[in-house]
């Protein structure tokens, strides 16, 4: 960890908007493939595909490494601290504090991503001192564009981000939400 990057707390649990965002646990490993092994998640995110138990173990280990390094924190999206419905991430990036998310296909249509993004943004503002949080997403990803707008983000006038992931070219827009 560099001297300019502060660490995230060892344990985080955030409640709000009818959700509890909590640390992933060993007990969650069996639920991860059901959440992440889906064509939509494979297409729109950098999450590995196919996503099996070995991928779940690697993801949990990597989540813990990134937190220890102070680069990112990934929390399980739940309604009561129990069953996992998805994931929300807060990452320290050169562009600023970035939020990412994925909701399991069986749990979509309940506003989970919008609510999780708002709770994580509040944490970034109140606990991490962020002045702005960002989402980086593809304009063609209608569901993510809807999440951005419903959560109060605005499309920023900044250069597009281009690259390739899993053999597929992508172009990302940057959406921002300023500290209230």
């Amino acid at each position: 960890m560099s001297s300019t990057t502060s660490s995230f707390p060892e344990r985080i649990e955030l409640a709000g908007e009818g959700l509890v965002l909590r640390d992933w646990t060993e007990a969650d490993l069996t639920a991860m493939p059901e959440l992440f092994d889906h064509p939509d998640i494979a297409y729109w995110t950098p999450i590995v595909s196919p996503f099996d138990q070995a991928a779940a173990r690697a993801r949990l280990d990597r989540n813990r490494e990134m937190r220890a390094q102070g680069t990112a924190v990934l929390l399980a999206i739940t309604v009561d601290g129990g069953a996992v419905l998805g994931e929300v991430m807060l990452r320290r990036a050169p562009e600023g504090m970035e939020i990412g998310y994925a909701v399991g296909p069986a749990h979509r249509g309940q506003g989970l991503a919008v609510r999780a993004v708002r709770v994580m943004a509040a944490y970034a503002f109140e606990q991490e001192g962020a002045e702005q949080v960002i989402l980086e997403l593809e304009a063609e990803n209608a569901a993510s564009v809807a999440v951005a707008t419903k959560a109060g983000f605005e499309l920023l006038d900044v250069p597009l981000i281009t690259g390739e992931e899993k053999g597929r070219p992508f172009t990302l827009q940057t959406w921002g939400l300023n500290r209230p």
Side-chain angles (χ1 to χ4, degrees):
M1 184 172 76
S2 80
S3 61
T4 59
T5 303
S6 62
S7 63
F8 287 106
E10 190 173 316
R11 306 273 313 143
I12 298 176
E13 185 172 292
L14 309 175
E17 303 255 351
L19 299 177
V20 175
L21 308 180
R22 63 163 174 81
D23 293 316
W24 285 98
T25 68
E26 298 289 324
D28 297 323
L29 286 171
T30 57
M32 290 173 106
E34 181 182 328
L35 296 172
F36 299 135
D37 191 36
H38 189 270
D40 286 348
I41 291 177
Y43 188 83
W44 296 115
T45 75
I47 295 174
V48 300
S49 179
F51 195 97
D52 55 14
Q53 285 299 306
R57 167 49 60 195
R59 186 160 182 83
L60 181 63
D61 292 346
R62 181 71 180 127
N63 291 355
R64 290 174 175 167
E65 281 176 32
M66 290 186 299
R67 180 177 298 188
Q69 294 166 351
T71 57
V73 61
L74 291 95
L75 300 177
I77 300 171
T78 76
V79 293
D80 59 5
V84 180
L85 310 174
E87 174 178 84
V88 64
M89 169 200 74
L90 182 65
R91 180 175 76 97
R92 291 186 175 109
E95 305 80 31
M97 297 291 272
E98 178 189 359
I99 296 177
Y101 49 86
V103 173
H107 311 293
R108 294 180 185 160
Q110 304 173 45
L112 296 170
V114 172
R115 293 184 286 150
V117 165
R118 286 195 295 237
V119 171
M120 189 62 94
Y123 173 81
F125 295 137
E126 296 164 12
Q127 301 300 316
E128 297 296 322
E131 292 299 318
Q132 181 182 63
V133 292
I134 61 171
L135 301 173
E136 294 176 343
L137 52 97
E138 294 182 63
E140 297 82 17
N141 186 342
S144 279
V145 169
V147 168
T149 57
K150 288 177 184 174
F153 285 69
E154 294 182 359
L155 185 59
L156 300 179
D157 186 18
V158 297
L160 297 174
I161 301 163
T162 59
E164 185 174 310
E165 184 76 38
K166 301 178 194 171
R168 180 180 81 79
F170 65 81
T171 301
L172 302 176
Q173 299 175 322
T174 303
W175 292 70
L177 179 67
N178 293 326
R179 176 190 284 274

